[in-house]
């Protein structure tokens, strides 16, 4: 089997950001308007009054303070509460492809590679903007890459599933160099009128380059020591958007065609599942948790990550041990753990080990053990 090394990462961050104060002001303006327009029906007990959102709740329950978005104005307008992104002609690069290309160029530069040296492109994400042609094939074309490309979706866990897919291809010899991208416009699938979830997500794109270690130019990369994936069916995070919606027009625009979740249940069920996965993964590789320099966890919820890290490590995690980016970026679905890795990897020294871990809808979870080379 060929040895695999991660030699570059890239990050595209949208230029517009929304603070909790701004988001809550917009939500509460919508609530006030709804309640005053429906005052008589609310008074008669026919309609339930909407409750306001609160910055203090959001920060305590999730740790999120702001999020980047592709369109701030439409998202915050209480009469729209949805990003407004003009449709592009088929001759223009699509939004996801454009975001992915920016992240890919950074990753290629770190890996000291030209785009035409890549053999395969994977787009692994939750929110694909169209059915076909694959976004990955469009990115392949925009960058001038030969070989092949395909899209895959395992919700928030897509990055670790994408890394394992690339790792397996390189180990077996079907590709030598793989570009794996996580392109997320989560704001397009988020119900900004839902008090329980309106604050959760943000937009971003990340990129990772995996190579056969023998031909890698960047010798300071991260060896992939081992990978592990787990899935277990659950309806607690669900989005019923899809091509069959038009066949049932009476329910086509209902709330379940956007992101919905039972957040409490997800919290309770996913924390032990992920902690167990990482613990077993380390044990099966004869590694001790105290031998880890860092865990780059999926960025959904600060409290969730503190629980997982404490269970795995047996002690309170420090910020250095378990870095957080969700305070600034919110939950960026598949990209979260890769943003954390991208921003918090440069201080690693040769031999230092860490775990990249993502988890989410499905349920699904993935763990990638890495060791700094060089
Ligand atoms: N403001 C004020 N109060 C609120 C608000 C609000 N905005 N929202 C809820 N409350 C109230 C509730 O009404 C409730 O009040 P009461 O106690 O009187 O009934 C109280 O606050 C507590 O509510 P919750 O039980 O819902 O609060 P939690 O403490 O559980 O926190 C969280 C909610 C933050 C959502 C938390 O449960 C959580 O983060 N859970 C884990 C979620 C998670 O990790 N999900 C993974 C999803 S990612 C994925 O895989 C999907 C990818 C698809 C991407 C699609 C992009 C759109």
């Amino acid at each position: 089997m060929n040895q695999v090394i991660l030699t570059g990462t890239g990050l595209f961050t949208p230029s517009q950001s929304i603070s909790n104060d701004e988001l809550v002001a917009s939500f509460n303006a919508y609530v006030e308007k709804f309640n005053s327009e429906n005052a008589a029906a609310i008074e008669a007990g026919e309609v339930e009054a909407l409750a306001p959102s609160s910055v203090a709740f959001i920060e305590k329950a999730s740790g999120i303070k702001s999020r980047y978005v592709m369109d701030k104005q439409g998202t915050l307008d209480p009469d729209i509460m949805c990003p407004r992104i003009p449709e592009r002609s088929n001759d223009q690069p699509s939004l996801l492809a454009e975001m992915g290309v920016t992240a890919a160029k950074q990753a290629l530069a770190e890996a000291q590679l030209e785009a035409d040296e890549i053999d395969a492109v994977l787009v692994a994400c939750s929110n694909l903007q169209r059915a076909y042609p694959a976004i990955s094939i469009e990115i392949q074309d925009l960058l001038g890459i030969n070989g092949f490309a395909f899209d895959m979706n395992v919700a928030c866990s897509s990055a670790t599933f994408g890394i394992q897919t690339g790792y397996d291809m390189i180990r077996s010899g079907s590709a030598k160099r793989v570009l794996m991208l996580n392109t997320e416009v989560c704001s397009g699938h988020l119900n900004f009128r839902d008090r329980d979830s309106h604050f959760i997500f943000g937009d971003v794109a990340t990129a990772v380059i995996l190579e056969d270690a023998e031909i890698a130019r960047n010798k300071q990369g991260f060896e992939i020591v081992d990978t592990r994936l787990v899935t277990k069916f659950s309806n607690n995070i669900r989005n019923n958007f899809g091509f069959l919606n038009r066949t049932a027009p009476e329910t086509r625009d209902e709330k379940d065609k956007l992101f919905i979740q039972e957040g409490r249940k997800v919290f309770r069920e996913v924390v032990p599942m992920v902690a167990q996965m990482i613990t077993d993964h380390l044990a099966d590789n004869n590694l001790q948790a105290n031998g880890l320099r860092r865990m780059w966890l999926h960025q959904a919820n600060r409290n969730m990550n503190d629980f997982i890290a404490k269970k795995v490590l047996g002690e309170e995690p420090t910020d250095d041990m378990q870095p957080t980016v969700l305070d600034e970026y919110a939950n960026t679905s598949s990209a979260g753990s890769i943003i954390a890795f991208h921003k918090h990897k440069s201080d690693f020294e040769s031999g230092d080990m860490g775990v990249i871990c993502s988890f989410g809808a499905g349920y699904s979870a993935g763990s990638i053990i890495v060791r700094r080379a060089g």
Side-chain angles (χ1 to χ4, degrees):
M1 292 281 186
N2 301 318
Q3 270 215 324
V4 181
I5 184 163
L6 190 166
T7 52
T9 57
L11 169 65
F12 164 79
T13 301
S15 60
Q16 305 173 62
S17 159
I18 297 179
S19 68
N20 283 344
D21 281 327
E22 292 171 310
L23 192 75
V24 167
S26 151
F27 183 88
N28 290 351
Y30 152 72
V31 166
E32 263 180 45
K33 192 168 175 221
F34 177 92
N35 288 347
S36 90
E37 282 172 1
N38 293 280
I42 292 170
E43 184 73 28
E46 292 155 11
V47 170
E48 205 171 321
L50 298 180
S53 183
S54 107
V55 171
F57 168 81
I58 294 171
E59 294 185 3
K60 184 162 180 284
S62 70
I64 294 166
K65 295 184 177 145
S66 61
R67 69 283 299 142
Y68 292 98
V69 291
M70 296 309 292
D71 177 52
K72 180 168 178 169
Q73 203 179 346
T75 303
L76 288 183
D77 184 331
D79 293 324
I80 302 175
M81 297 181 86
C82 171
R84 284 279 190 256
I85 301 172
E87 194 156 295
R88 299 180 180 187
S89 87
N90 289 353
D91 298 330
Q92 293 177 289
S94 64
L95 181 65
L96 284 194
E98 196 172 79
M99 293 164 69
V101 163
T102 306
K105 284 182 177 166
Q106 282 176 31
L108 286 165
E110 188 185 351
Q112 302 161 35
L113 292 178
E114 297 300 326
D116 63 3
E117 294 177 285
I118 298 288
D119 303 319
V121 182
L122 309 180
V123 167
C125 68
S126 288
N127 300 291
L128 288 160
Q129 75 180 84
R130 62 170 180 254
Y132 41 79
I135 300 292
S136 52
I137 301 178
E138 188 183 353
I139 292 174
Q140 176 193 11
D141 181 62
L142 289 168
L143 287 170
I145 293 173
N146 300 311
F148 62 95
F150 59 90
D151 294 350
M152 51 191 283
N153 178 352
V154 202
C156 287
S157 303
S158 299
T160 47
F161 280 65
I163 289 175
Q164 176 168 307
T165 305
Y167 170 74
D168 287 345
M169 292 194 306
I170 295 168
R171 284 207 307 164
S172 67
S174 64
K176 291 270 185 206
R177 290 180 167 125
V178 176
L179 168 63
M180 195 283 300
L181 297 137
N182 319 108
T183 52
E184 298 286 12
V185 181
C186 296
S187 60
H189 265 283
L190 181 55
N191 182 356
F192 286 97
R193 292 191 175 89
D194 176 30
R195 177 174 176 255
D196 289 343
S197 63
H198 76 112
F199 55 90
I200 294 182
F201 291 99
D203 304 336
V204 82
T206 49
V208 163
I209 306 249
L210 298 166
E211 296 184 72
D212 180 338
E214 285 223 327
I215 59 166
R217 279 182 211 124
N218 176 7
K219 301 293 179 196
Q220 309 290 310
F222 288 76
E223 292 162 24
I224 307 288
V225 175
D226 197 30
T227 66
R228 173 150 309 175
L229 308 177
V230 180
T231 50
K232 185 176 186 312
F233 186 71
S234 168
N235 278 318
N236 290 332
I237 315 169
R238 191 157 176 133
N239 182 337
N240 286 328
F241 176 78
F243 68 90
L244 288 181
N245 296 159
R246 65 192 282 269
T247 66
E250 55 295 343
T251 53
R252 188 176 48 199
D253 296 320
E254 289 189 358
K255 286 180 179 170
D256 67 325
K257 309 306 181 296
L258 295 168
F259 170 86
I260 47 172
Q261 73 167 350
E262 295 277 353
R264 264 286 145 94
K265 286 191 190 158
V266 174
F267 197 111
R268 248 195 347 255
E269 292 170 7
V270 169
V271 166
M273 175 181 167
V274 172
Q276 195 63 53
M277 174 188 69
I278 299 173
T279 302
D280 292 348
H281 194 198
L282 293 172
D284 292 346
N285 282 276
N286 297 316
L287 296 168
Q288 305 283 337
N290 64 10
L292 292 179
R293 167 98 167 71
R294 188 163 293 154
M295 292 164 77
W296 299 277
L297 296 179
H298 173 50
Q299 300 288 311
N301 181 301
R302 176 69 202 249
N303 304 323
M304 217 172 174
N305 284 3
D306 288 346
F307 271 111
I308 291 169
K310 192 174 170 192
K311 261 194 142 153
V312 172
L313 303 169
E315 58 179 299
E316 290 292 342
T318 61
D319 287 346
D320 182 64
M321 188 65 212
Q322 191 247 110
T324 297
V325 300
L326 63 85
D327 51 347
E328 178 185 350
Y329 281 82
N331 182 343
T332 48
S333 193
S334 64
S337 57
I338 305 299
I339 304 174
F341 179 70
H342 173 81
K343 286 184 170 276
H344 298 278
K345 70 177 176 9
S346 60
D347 58 344
F348 259 50
E349 291 182 2
S350 173
D352 283 351
M353 300 191 73
V355 170
I356 302 172
C357 172
S358 56
F359 46 87
Y363 296 134
S364 56
S367 163
I368 313 287
I369 303 174
V370 296
R371 183 193 297 115
R372 181 87 196 221

